[in-house]
């Protein structure tokens, strides 16, 4: 496969998953703001989303004041934000258009409908929209495209590149959504384990569409250790770090088998290494190390794997 074709398929997957994540971040912020403030106050809920997504400086330069209206515009519609829903869907659709002949008609139709519907949504007066409808709109369309890919695409190297993009982006996204919890923790240690703390963990589960699956796996008791275990180390959890990374390794293995000795396997080897380190952890080790510190390390490792994917496969002259 031509490197430019592989790159467009890889980034199509990544941008679709990134759009989904942006919408879920918006949902997290909205749900957390439904809680009343205390006299002590919480850390700013909306600022926590900007910090976790790595876009706080960009937002501050353009908007200054942090408000729900500004955050929604920035995270959902702002083309100057490369991680906004609108930016990501447009880039995914453009990548798909460039490699149109590598996609089935069902995948292209789903991708194009998502783009056209989003353009119509962009023209809707903002006071007619609410956060829940924006999130539902995005997750519905991105799920439709993903379903079309898995139902109709040939399991060739193009399919591996699309799903590699999905897997790496999902691993990064789950880590960032978990890290939101770090930023919105109450300022006093005695609040840990309180009703507010439990509610915040429920918000993370619901934002990842994992609330019911969590209860199937762990029962009704929601604790920090159990939720973190479910979203980091549980191989049955579809959005967990270990599941996402396992899928990335599996797709890298598939690509390596197809190309044999003709290309480097640095990305695959690094992904195997990180997966091995995850498998060697348990949740107590992660909390002893510090959840935020662990997630920062993991996000950095995903970035390294992504860089190696580009060096191994996507920067060729073809």
């Amino acid at each position: 496969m031509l490197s430019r074709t592989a790159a467009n398929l890889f980034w199509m997957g990544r941008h679709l998953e990134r759009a989904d994540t942006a919408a879920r971040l918006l949902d997290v912020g909205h749900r957390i703001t439904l809680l009343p403030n205390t006299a002590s106050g919480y850390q700013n809920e909306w600022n926590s989303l900007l910090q976790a997504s790595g876009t706080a400086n960009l937002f501050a330069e353009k908007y200054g004041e942090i408000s729900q209206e500004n955050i929604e515009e920035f995270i959902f519609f702002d083309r100057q934000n490369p991680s906004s829903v609108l930016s990501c869907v447009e880039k995914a659709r453009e990548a798909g258009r460039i490699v149109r002949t590598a996609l089935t008609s069902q995948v292209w139709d789903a991708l194009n409908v998502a783009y056209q519907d989003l353009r119509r949504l962009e023209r809707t007066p903002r006071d007619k929209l609410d956060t829940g409808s924006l999130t539902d709109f995005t997750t519905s369309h991105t799920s439709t495209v993903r379903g079309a890919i898995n139902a109709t695409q040939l399991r060739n190297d193009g399919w591996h590149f699309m799903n590699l993009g999905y897997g790496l982006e999902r691993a990064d996204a789950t880590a960032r959504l978990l890290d939101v919890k770090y930023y919105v923790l109450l300022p006093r240690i005695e609040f840990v384990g309180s009703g507010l703390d439990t509610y915040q963990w429920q918000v993370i589960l619901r934002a990842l569409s994992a609330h019911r699956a969590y209860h199937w796996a762990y029962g009704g008791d929601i604790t920090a250790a159990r939720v973190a275990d479910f979203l980091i180390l549980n191989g049955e959890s579809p959005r967990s770090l270990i599941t996402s990374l396992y899928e990335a390794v599996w797709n890298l293995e598939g690509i390596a088998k197809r190309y044999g000795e003709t290309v480097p396997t640095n990305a695959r080897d690094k992904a195997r290494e990180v997966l091995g380190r995850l498998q060697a952890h348990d949740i107590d080790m992660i909390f002893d190390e510090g959840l935020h510190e662990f997630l920062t390390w993991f996000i950095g490792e995903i970035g390294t794997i992504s860089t190696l994917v580009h060096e191994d496969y996507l920067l060729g002259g073809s």
Side-chain angles (χ1 to χ4, degrees), residues 32-33 41-51 66-67 71 183-184:
I32 289 176
T33 58
Y42 309 145
Q43 295 183 25
N44 187 285
E45 297 90 347
W46 291 113
N47 186 54
S48 72
L49 305 187
L50 298 173
Q51 295 291 343
I66 293 178
S67 66
I71 292 284
Y183 281 108
V184 298

Side-chain angles (χ1 to χ4, degrees), residues 205-268:
L205 288 172
R206 291 190 184 280
L208 291 169
S209 302
H211 192 260
R212 180 170 295 182
Y214 170 86
H215 283 285
W216 286 340
Y218 294 87
D221 189 19
I222 293 178
T223 67
R226 286 184 173 184
V227 175
D229 183 72
F230 182 66
L231 294 176
I232 296 173
L233 298 174
N234 191 320
E236 295 182 352
S237 171
R239 299 190 70 97
S240 70
L241 304 190
I242 202 163
T243 298
S244 300
L245 191 54
Y246 176 80
E247 291 176 356
V249 169
W250 188 84
N251 283 292
L252 284 165
E253 295 279 8
I255 294 168
K257 287 177 182 176
R258 287 179 176 273
Y259 294 155
E261 301 298 322
T262 61
V263 294
T265 57
N266 299 315
R268 183 198 65 184

Side-chain angles (χ1 to χ4, degrees), residues 156-167:
N156 56 11
D157 46 356
W159 186 82
H160 281 300
F161 277 114
M162 278 187 280
N163 281 284
L164 175 60
Y166 270 112

